Amino acid sequence: MNEQQSTEIKVLLQYLEAFLPADDTDSDVVLKSSQDIQDDLSVMVEISLGDISKEMLACGYKIEVDADDKPKWRMMHK
């Protein structure tokens, strides 16, 4: 991992500190795609969708298919 990637991942992980992985029993679930997260972080870093997905899986986030048949990460605010 190069220095730039390390910075991108650090920013993503700090962003994720505002959220917990949501499971099937949680209410007030926030659904965000990797693209949504990339857009949120675009004012700070350029991070690939693949890096976001890899870190989301490593942190225990699960995927839900929304009403538009799009995969989204199940998240909830701390």
Side-chain angles (χ1 to χ4, degrees), residues 15 18-20 22 26-33 36 40 61-62 64 72-78:
Y15 170 83
F19 300 96
L20 295 171
D26 292 318
S27 59
D28 298 326
V29 172
V30 176
L31 296 177
K32 289 190 178 226
S33 68
D36 294 332
D40 290 347
Y61 292 87
K62 305 285 185 206
E64 177 178 324
K72 304 276 176 88
W73 297 105
R74 292 181 56 82
M75 307 165 77
M76 56 187 262
H77 289 282
K78 280 189 168 180

Side-chain angles (χ1 to χ4, degrees), residues 13-59:
L13 293 175
Q14 287 186 27
Y15 170 83
L16 291 177
E17 288 178 7
F19 300 96
L20 295 171
D23 62 29
D24 293 338
T25 62
D26 292 318
S27 59
D28 298 326
V29 172
V30 176
L31 296 177
K32 289 190 178 226
S33 68
S34 293
Q35 182 69 60
D36 294 332
I37 295 168
Q38 185 184 53
D39 292 345
D40 290 347
L41 296 177
S42 68
V43 297
M44 300 187 79
V45 294
E46 291 183 22
I47 186 168
S48 75
L49 296 175
D51 284 345
I52 292 168
S53 296
K54 177 182 171 186
E55 292 302 319
M56 296 296 287
L57 287 170
C59 291

